[in-house]
Amino acid sequence: MNIIIASDNDSTLTLWRTHLSSIADISFTKDRPAQIEADAVVISGIYAFERYGGRPNTTAAQTITNMTGDGLPGVVIIPPSLPVILNSEKRPVVHPDYTEISPACYAISHTLKVIDALNAEGEQAIRRVILPLPLLGMNSPRDASTPSSVRRAIEEHLTATGT
């Protein structure tokens, strides 16, 4: 599988290259997602739900068929958010079992799992997937923890799958 990291920000792409360029099958581009030929695109729920459907989920990534004609790939993957609970003041907080994992690692880890499941089922082959950083809320050139967390998720996935 080829993962395409897309951002319109040179500084952000430089930061992500620093963390991920040593992993095979990852490429970087300033192209807009609609200009990239791919099988799937990963978009945060905050940007995807209204346009493509779905609803918040904390246990698995969702796959939605893109029927909008917007130029993005035919499969939209919406990563899960970290599980939350209500604290004593009735405010949502990250579930205590998940406080040690970063939201980016959790999201990408579950995204890779759903891609593997789609590929195993044989119904939808996902060979090229776009991670458009602005549409994932990961486009800050000053946030080194996010690309580091994504690297961790990818490396753990590669180790688990033996690829």
Side-chain angles (χ1 to χ4, degrees):
M1 172 178 35
N2 179 242
I3 298 172
I4 304 154
I5 308 290
S7 175
D8 56 357
N9 184 307
D10 286 324
S11 297
T12 298
L13 281 177
T14 298
L15 176 66
W16 281 72
R17 272 190 196 97
T18 300
H19 288 272
L20 296 163
S21 63
S22 64
I23 300 175
D25 293 326
I26 293 184
S27 57
F28 304 88
T29 186
K30 282 188 71 174
D31 291 341
R32 296 181 55 190
Q35 299 170 316
I36 302 168
E37 188 174 324
D39 304 306
V41 61
V42 183
I43 302 175
S44 175
I46 195 167
Y47 301 111
F49 293 140
E50 186 175 324
R51 183 172 187 99
Y52 302 106
R55 58 182 183 210
N57 186 333
T58 60
T59 59
Q62 299 171 62
T63 57
I64 308 286
T65 301
N66 179 4
M67 305 203 333
T68 66
D70 62 2
L72 292 180
V75 175
V76 176
I77 301 171
I78 304 170
S81 57
L82 285 172
V84 296
I85 60 170
L86 295 178
N87 66 12
S88 61
E89 293 135 11
K90 305 293 183 208
R91 294 186 184 180
V93 295
V94 172
H95 189 286
D97 292 346
Y98 296 91
T99 56
E100 297 299 316
I101 187 166
S102 82
C105 185
Y106 188 81
I108 299 305
S109 176
H110 281 76
T111 296
L112 295 171
K113 286 177 187 174
V114 81
I115 290 170
D116 284 347
L118 288 170
N119 286 338
E121 292 169 4
E123 291 180 27
Q124 181 72 44
I126 306 295
R127 304 282 181 243
R128 292 174 49 90
V129 61
I130 308 166
L131 299 182
L133 300 181
L135 295 177
L136 285 166
M138 300 179 179
N139 205 38
S140 172
R142 294 176 300 283
D143 175 15
S145 66
T146 297
S148 177
S149 294
V150 169
R151 178 187 177 93
R152 177 178 161 210
I154 293 169
E155 287 176 336
E156 287 175 359
H157 175 78
L158 292 172
T159 299
T161 60
T163 55

